Amino acid sequence: EPGTTPDTADLRTALGTTLPDYMVPATVVLLDKIPLTVNGKIDTKALPAPDWDGAAAADRTAPRNETERVLAGVFAEVLGVERVGVHDNFFDLGGDSILSIQVVSRARRAGLTLTSKDVFSGQTVAALAEAAVHDRDTTVPADRGPVAGEVAATPIVRWFFDTHPQAPDHFNMSVLLELSEDLDVSVLPRALAALLEHHDMLRLRAVPDTTRPGGRRLHIPTPDTDTTGTPGTGTDGLLHTVDLTGVPAEELDTRTARACADAQASMNLEHGPLLRAVLLDHGPAAPRRLLLAV
């Protein structure tokens, strides 16, 4: 409006209500007029470069109450920055979905209840301070025991089985880790069992659905269910050791690759679990390595 100067923080907030996050500008530069070329198009070469430091300083409002002070400290700690203003955008400062979980966790330890959805919708200290709920200890904690039972297929699961009719069991992600010399490998089976118990989807079974051609019925058994589907020791055999001691150096890579490929090919969506771990013991000549395939 004539005679007024737009507030850049308000502009970005307003844009955030109609545009996806990645289209909201990180800063705004105010100009008396837009430079144009002789053809009437915007002369991008004549546009001034944003003053990032000045823009940040202009928009950085100090916390105005205790809740904002706590959240500003959480933002700064999680993002690894010196200070955060109450109108600074979490995602513009480098935040992402994983870091948003850390914000929720650290805010909770400070007595403020937030959800990741709050962080995505609010995005600033000021907005989150209004959404935060105090005295979380008065709420009833959620049951965090192992989950078991039928699972509804999500769109991506249905897509997977519709588009991967050949060897769907072999579709996995893996990582090969080099272990430190002082690692106590005797605790690996227990660590893997704890992983399987905590992450319910690693126990997922996808059995053929007789009511729908090509379909699958999904369910999660209890952690102590074995690969035949009967209650027992479901964590037995999670860790497979391959002894490569004495294998000639020129054959080591080939034997290692074969052991990794065999583990990945051994996946079974019907009997599970959806986790394979292989300890590759090369003897004293080389560090031990651990393959994790999911």
Side-chain angles (χ1 to χ4, degrees):
E1 296 178 2
T4 63
T5 301
D7 182 85
T8 58
D10 289 343
L11 279 174
R12 295 176 68 256
T13 299
L15 288 171
T17 64
T18 57
L19 294 177
D21 295 340
Y22 68 89
M23 293 186 68
V24 177
T27 187
V28 176
V29 177
L30 302 179
L31 302 175
D32 292 331
K33 62 180 181 179
I34 302 294
L36 303 177
T37 64
V38 292
N39 296 324
K41 298 181 179 180
I42 295 177
D43 186 357
T44 56
K45 294 182 179 180
L47 291 172
D51 179 8
W52 297 102
D53 293 335
D59 290 343
R60 184 163 290 141
T61 303
R64 298 159 295 188
N65 54 54
E66 181 61 17
T67 301
E68 289 186 349
R69 186 192 66 77
V70 171
L71 289 173
V74 169
F75 270 36
E77 184 180 3
V78 169
L79 296 169
V81 297
E82 185 176 351
R83 325 187 271 285
V84 174
V86 298
H87 299 302
D88 289 345
N89 187 284
F90 175 73
F91 297 97
D92 290 343
L93 294 175
D96 55 33
S97 58
I98 300 298
L99 292 179
S100 74
I101 298 174
Q102 294 187 29
V103 168
V104 171
S105 176
R106 298 187 190 199
R108 186 171 299 164
R109 289 202 297 265
L112 300 176
T113 299
L114 292 172
T115 66
S116 291
K117 183 178 179 180
D118 291 331
V119 179
F120 274 90
S121 60
Q123 303 189 5
T124 67
V125 167
L128 288 177
E130 295 181 3
V133 177
H134 294 267
D135 300 326
R136 179 177 177 81
D137 291 340
T138 62
T139 63
V140 178
D143 180 9
R144 298 193 178 275
V147 172
E150 296 296 315
V151 179
T154 61
I156 193 66
V157 170
R158 290 194 294 269
W159 168 86
F160 173 77
F161 285 115
D162 288 343
T163 57
H164 292 74
Q166 302 297 324
D169 305 88
H170 203 158
F171 192 93
N172 59 75
M173 301 175 66
S174 64
V175 61
L176 187 61
L177 306 171
E178 185 174 299
L179 305 181
S180 60
E181 293 182 2
D182 59 348
L183 179 71
D184 182 4
V185 296
S186 67
V187 304
L188 282 177
R190 283 186 293 148
L192 292 168
L195 188 69
L196 201 67
E197 178 176 350
H198 181 74
H199 291 283
D200 314 304
M201 292 302 285
L202 292 179
R203 303 194 306 274
L204 183 72
R205 307 288 196 268
V207 300
D209 187 351
T210 57
T211 65
R212 188 167 64 92
R216 297 278 184 139
R217 184 173 56 83
L218 309 179
H219 75 99
I220 300 175
T222 58
D224 61 350
T225 301
D226 65 19
T227 56
T228 66
T230 58
T233 52
T235 58
D236 284 356
L238 279 179
L239 181 66
H240 178 58
T241 301
V242 176
D243 187 2
L244 298 176
T245 304
V247 175
E250 61 272 15
E251 298 181 17
L252 198 56
D253 287 345
T254 301
R255 292 280 296 274
T256 297
R258 185 186 309 160
C260 293
D262 288 345
Q264 292 171 287
S266 70
M267 292 284 186
N268 190 303
L269 293 174
E270 185 172 348
H271 300 296
L274 306 187
L275 168 67
R276 292 291 185 273
V278 179
L279 178 65
L280 301 163
D281 191 349
H282 302 91
R288 293 167 298 185
R289 289 191 281 181
L290 178 68
L291 171 78
L292 294 175
V294 173

